[in-house]
Amino acid sequence: MGENSKELTRIKILEPLNPNHSTAIINGKTSGILNWNDIPYPSFYRAYKELSTNYWIPDEVDMKGDAKQYPQLSEEERYAFDAIIGLLATLDSPQTRFIYNIAEYVTDPAVHANAAIIGQQEVIHNESYSYVLASITDLKNQNRIFDFARTHETIIKRNEPIMDAYNDFMEHKSGETLVKALIQSSILEGINFYSGFAYFYNLVRQNKMTGTGKIISFINRDELAHSKFISEVIRAILGENPELLTDELIEYTHEAFKHAVELETEWSSEVLQKIEGIDVDEMVDYVKYRANKMLGMLGMDELYPGYSDNTMTWIKAYADNFTETKTDFFEMRNSSYKKTNIDNGFDDL
Ligand code: ZN
Ligand code: ZN
């Protein structure tokens, strides 16, 4: 075992003998007391402001229209609706547990604070799937959908690489397992949600299930902030611990993204093929664009030359609603909580 397998130290809850200003992002020293005005990475405070001002709860959204429309969806539309709600729940539920466990092995208390908010938001996301389903269907069907999520073969296959890396980290806490788990986490947050989001936005542009679409847009905004923060943490860890940035890690990352894009393609072909308004090839191009963008955020080379722009033009109309200056499609009233000086980076979804 080399340097990369070095054990990570678990944080102490409070250690008054250590300084408040964290000495390193991992395996460092800190008292655990957080003064946001004196932190090693000021960008983590910007992330905190972005995360915390995104606050929303599903109950704000009126689901009466969706309740009427759900039984009127075509069989394909309803199947995709159920499958995607189930899929999204399999992403948000484990992410709550993961982010909590990760935080215990990162020294910087600013990361712990942001992880607490991310974890809380994943809980809300998960609740919102229960809320959506409770608004439109009976308990038996709700349970069928949540069961489907854990038994559907393509969903299991999709989640496997992520859960393998998460479990490796849980079993052996080293710099290497941490970085790999965070890379898989950035795939979960930055790739795996997006064909699901696009499906709901496609319904909204046909004036269907707009309550669900509004909830999805809140989740989308949160996930963008999560993936951005996670990539900042990865860059900080690799920056402070260059021995972790091996050729093997770069190869692992590229393979992981490539595999995620293949799984997303398989899923889209299976679930979205017959959905009116969705062009599966266009969807795959969009996912490749997302992969390039995420790799760029990690400071790594892109995988798909020529996919540096979002060619799925209609989805931009929804992405643009994350900024205050543009037309507010969903009339997101909680967007007014946001301060204008925060660089939210949502223009280029
Ligand atoms: Zn989430
Ligand atoms: Zn998330």
Side-chain angles (χ1 to χ4, degrees):
M1 295 230 175
E3 179 76 7
N4 299 348
S5 316
K6 204 167 83 184
E7 290 287 326
L8 288 174
T9 36
R10 189 172 180 174
I11 55 155
K12 291 213 169 64
I13 305 293
L14 183 67
E15 183 44 270
L17 294 176
N18 287 342
N20 293 342
H21 188 101
S22 182
T23 61
I25 188 141
I26 52 172
N27 288 337
K29 282 191 177 9
T30 178
S31 65
I33 297 167
L34 172 58
N35 174 8
W36 281 113
N37 300 319
D38 183 25
I39 53 175
Y41 295 92
S43 74
F44 291 174
Y45 186 54
R46 204 185 54 227
Y48 167 77
K49 296 307 272 181
E50 187 176 326
L51 289 161
S52 58
T53 51
N54 275 357
Y55 180 77
W56 62 280
I57 50 169
D59 314 52
E60 290 173 4
V61 179
D62 182 354
M63 295 295 292
K64 283 197 265 322
D66 293 48
K68 264 192 219 131
Q69 285 177 328
Y70 180 69
Q72 295 163 7
L73 294 177
S74 73
E75 206 177 305
E76 287 84 12
E77 281 172 339
R78 205 164 40 245
Y79 173 78
F81 189 99
D82 296 352
I84 294 169
I85 290 283
L87 163 76
L88 297 181
T90 69
L91 303 178
D92 283 300
S93 302
Q95 198 64 359
T96 309
R97 296 152 81 101
F98 171 71
I99 204 80
Y100 165 80
N101 279 287
I102 281 290
E104 297 233 298
Y105 292 87
V106 176
T107 313
D108 188 342
V111 174
H112 209 128
N114 285 343
I117 299 186
I118 292 174
Q120 179 260 5
Q121 290 179 337
E122 305 299 11
V123 170
I124 294 204
H125 300 172
N126 210 92
E127 183 213 353
S128 69
Y129 307 128
S130 297
Y131 174 76
V132 163
L133 293 181
S135 309
I136 62 172
T137 191
D138 59 29
L139 182 64
K140 196 174 157 219
N141 195 36
Q142 294 168 35
N143 282 333
R144 184 190 64 83
I145 293 166
F146 281 112
D147 269 338
F148 179 78
R150 64 177 182 87
T151 53
H152 190 287
E153 264 178 45
T154 318
I155 294 181
I156 294 170
K157 202 167 136 194
R158 271 181 59 132
N159 292 338
E160 222 164 43
I162 297 171
M163 297 313 142
D164 283 350
Y166 283 10
N167 288 331
D168 279 351
F169 171 75
M170 292 305 288
E171 275 160 33
H172 180 216
K173 312 276 193 321
S174 70
E176 188 186 347
T177 59
L178 173 70
V179 169
K180 285 183 177 173
L182 285 170
I183 282 166
Q184 291 291 349
S185 190
S186 80
I187 289 175
L188 183 152
E189 301 272 8
I191 307 279
N192 290 8
F193 278 103
Y194 290 79
S195 68
F197 292 159
Y199 168 76
F200 293 108
Y201 296 151
N202 181 57
L203 284 181
V204 170
R205 64 182 180 137
Q206 299 168 45
N207 269 317
K208 292 176 188 167
M209 309 302 280
T210 53
T212 307
K214 189 171 179 175
I215 286 176
I216 291 295
S217 73
F218 291 154
I219 296 174
N220 190 162
R221 188 177 55 182
D222 290 347
E223 302 308 357
L224 285 169
H226 299 177
S227 60
K228 197 163 131 193
F229 177 65
I230 288 169
S231 59
E232 283 177 28
V233 172
I234 295 172
R235 283 206 313 271
I237 295 172
L238 294 177
E240 288 187 24
N241 303 275
E243 74 284 357
L244 291 172
L245 187 56
T246 57
D247 290 345
E248 192 263 327
L249 183 79
I250 293 170
E251 173 79 15
Y252 171 87
T253 308
H254 277 135
E255 282 306 310
F257 273 84
K258 211 163 108 190
H259 192 49
V261 169
E262 284 162 13
L263 291 170
E264 199 68 17
T265 304
E266 197 180 317
W267 169 258
S268 300
S269 317
E270 198 177 307
V271 179
L272 303 175
Q273 197 65 259
K274 290 182 187 154
I275 301 297
E276 201 189 313
I278 290 191
D279 175 339
V280 170
D281 293 337
E282 191 186 50
M283 179 75 81
V284 171
D285 290 351
Y286 174 63
V287 174
K288 288 180 178 167
Y289 152 77
R290 292 258 359 130
N292 278 349
K293 197 171 161 57
M294 293 301 303
L295 284 162
M297 283 165 77
L298 295 176
M300 293 191 191
D301 291 340
E302 27 180 68
L303 259 181
Y304 304 100
Y307 291 84
S308 48
D309 290 309
N310 176 9
T311 51
M312 204 159 161
T313 45
W314 61 266
I315 209 164
K316 288 182 185 167
Y318 300 91
D320 282 348
N321 286 296
F322 296 121
T323 66
E324 283 174 298
T325 49
K326 294 174 187 164
T327 326
D328 203 350
F329 191 90
F330 290 107
E331 294 171 31
M332 272 199 223
R333 69 179 169 86
N334 67 343
S335 65
S336 61
Y337 301 163
K338 285 183 90 74
K339 293 203 180 84
T340 44
N341 61 352
I342 294 165
D343 166 32
N344 62 18
F346 293 141
D347 280 333
D348 46 0
L349 173 74

